[in-house]
Amino acid sequence: MKLLGGFHTSDAAYSLSRCLEDAGIAALVVHSKTHLNRKAGFEYLVFCALEEQLEDAVQLMRNPSHIVAHPVDVAAYHAYLASSSSLESANRSLTQVLIGAIGVLVLLVAALVWRELSR
């Protein structure tokens, strides 16, 4: 996600977001108080959600007639983000990583104990 701009009002932020999404660019509006990348004085931040659309987003902000090279189905994108399956998938991946890390830790401890006992 790349920051596109900061705004004082939600109306301005959502206006840019709608313009981008109408052209097929996935955008996210975040309240700056809930985001680590706070920009001084701005209450709402607008992000380009997909890296590959950043250049198109910038060009569209400069020129409203710009044709987006790789538009996405924004409704489907937001539905995917909100779906329980995407959250379940993320949780499953995190669980697998944690189990793997614990397994490696157990093997290291076992190897150290075995090494000490064999002296």
Side-chain angles (χ1 to χ4, degrees), residues 50-105:
L50 303 173
E51 282 289 324
E52 60 270 13
Q53 291 189 310
L54 179 60
E55 185 60 33
D56 275 326
V58 170
Q59 291 301 322
L60 189 63
M61 290 169 60
R62 290 183 184 150
N63 174 12
S65 301
H66 175 73
I67 305 297
V68 175
H70 304 289
V72 297
D73 181 345
V74 175
Y77 176 77
H78 285 295
Y80 171 75
L81 288 180
S83 74
S84 61
S85 65
S86 67
L87 293 174
E88 288 172 11
S89 175
N91 286 339
R92 204 173 311 114
S93 295
L94 181 59
T95 301
Q96 289 172 347
V97 167
L98 288 174
I99 288 172
I102 290 169
V104 167
L105 184 60

